[in-house]
Structure formats: structure tokens, C-alpha cells
Amino acid sequence: GKVAVKLHSGEPGNQNFLRPDFMKPMIDRVEGAIVECNTAYDGGRNTTKAHKITMERHGWLSAAQVDILDETEDMELPIPCGKVIQKNFVGANLQNYDSLLVLSHFKGHPMGGFGGALKNISIGIASSHGKAYIHGVGVVEDFWNSDHDSFLESMADAAKSIVAYFDGKMAF
């Protein structure tokens, strides 16, 4: 089916991201589209327009089709047995894909510790609203003030919703 390729396209001015030239052959092989969601904080990826400018500067727009999943809206995924949160908000365009290829790099994160595939599918696929929801442990207004361990558990819950959504049609 249609393949979503989740990767971190990189923050403006930061060099810590996978390089398009290295990933392009794999993306082409699966005929995938790079998928990202906007951030919940100000910067060069908090709107679709800014996000695409950053992606263009980093070489992603010329490497493959790009889909900002929450460009127009988000959708809710259930997490029936979530430890901390029972729902996740992701970019609505996720429903246009049948499978997910996750390309991750090793990265430090102030709240999440060392990031990789789990952060890439939880925070990375969450819509802008969903990112604030996960960070705030279900309370968007607590985005910057939530308990650290509860945030990590919330992130794991969100990742669980993505794994359930693709039901075995994922590769890392």
C-alpha cells in the first residue's frame, strides 16, 4: 500500500538529522512519502509553511514527496489500555497511508532523554496539539510543567497507538 516514511527532517540551523542523499534510495525503493507534523513550540517547524522552508533548506523537498500530516487537521487515535493517556492526537493525513517505515537517528532530547524510534513515532507523528497533549500528560496547558516520568509513560502510550494503528505494517 501507500508508505509513510517517518524521519526527523531537522531543526533550522541544526545538523543533527539523517541526510536526504543517504535516505533517498530507501524512500524511492518503497515509493514512500516523507511524513512530519508541525511542532508545538515556536520556531522553523511550527507552521506548515515554515516547516516546508526548513525541509527545503535541508534537502528533503527535492528528495521525495513530503506530507505535513497535520497541515489541515488532526485525528484522534484511541489508547484503550494506556497507562497515562487514553487517546493520541495525530496528523489527519496519517489515514492516507497503509504502512509506516521509520528511519531514526540517535538524538538527545531535554525531556525525553535519548531519542530514536519511540520518540519518532510518538512525538513525531503527533499533531502540534498532540505534542502538547503528550508533553502535558493529557493536559495541554501543562506542556512545559508535567512530571518527567509521566511524560515518558505518555510518550510510550502514544507510540502504542501508532503501532496498533498500523497493525504490523511497520518497519524500523
Side-chain angles (χ1 to χ4, degrees):
K2 193 169 179 186
V3 180
V5 179
K6 179 62 186 95
L7 49 78
H8 186 292
S9 58
E11 289 286 348
N14 190 325
Q15 298 302 310
N16 300 325
F17 57 90
L18 298 171
R19 296 297 183 260
D21 291 345
F22 185 66
M23 294 292 109
K24 184 173 176 31
M26 189 177 311
I27 296 166
D28 289 347
R29 174 80 167 104
V30 299
E31 299 177 6
I34 297 167
V35 298
E36 280 270 57
C37 282
N38 293 317
T39 61
Y41 52 84
D42 289 338
R45 298 186 310 127
N46 64 323
T47 66
T48 297
K49 181 179 179 182
H51 206 150
K52 286 190 175 178
I53 289 169
T54 297
M55 292 183 83
E56 181 176 14
R57 288 180 180 154
H58 290 174
W60 291 113
L61 293 186
S62 59
Q65 176 189 347
V66 169
D67 187 354
I68 305 299
L69 297 175
D70 63 338
E71 181 173 5
T72 58
E73 61 185 332
D74 58 14
M75 69 180 193
E76 187 177 312
L77 297 181
I79 312 169
C81 297
K83 182 172 182 180
V84 178
I85 58 174
Q86 282 68 53
K87 58 187 172 183
N88 186 19
F89 298 94
V90 301
N93 290 357
L94 189 66
Q95 64 193 328
N96 298 330
Y97 297 92
D98 304 300
S99 61
L100 181 65
L101 173 61
V102 182
L103 304 176
S104 300
H105 69 286
F106 186 79
K107 162 183 179 10
H109 182 270
M111 285 183 73
F114 293 110
L118 183 117
K119 182 181 177 294
N120 209 1
I121 66 171
S122 60
I123 300 296
I125 294 178
S127 65
S128 181
H129 172 76
K131 286 172 175 51
Y133 185 82
I134 294 165
H135 275 84
V137 190
V139 181
V140 174
E141 296 76 25
D142 287 346
F143 179 78
W144 295 113
N145 303 310
S146 65
D147 168 68
H148 184 258
D149 288 345
S150 297
F151 160 67
L152 295 175
E153 292 169 339
S154 180
M155 194 166 61
D157 286 341
K160 181 179 180 179
S161 75
I162 300 300
V163 171
Y165 182 80
F166 283 105
D167 191 26
K169 297 176 185 165
M170 295 176 72
F172 297 86

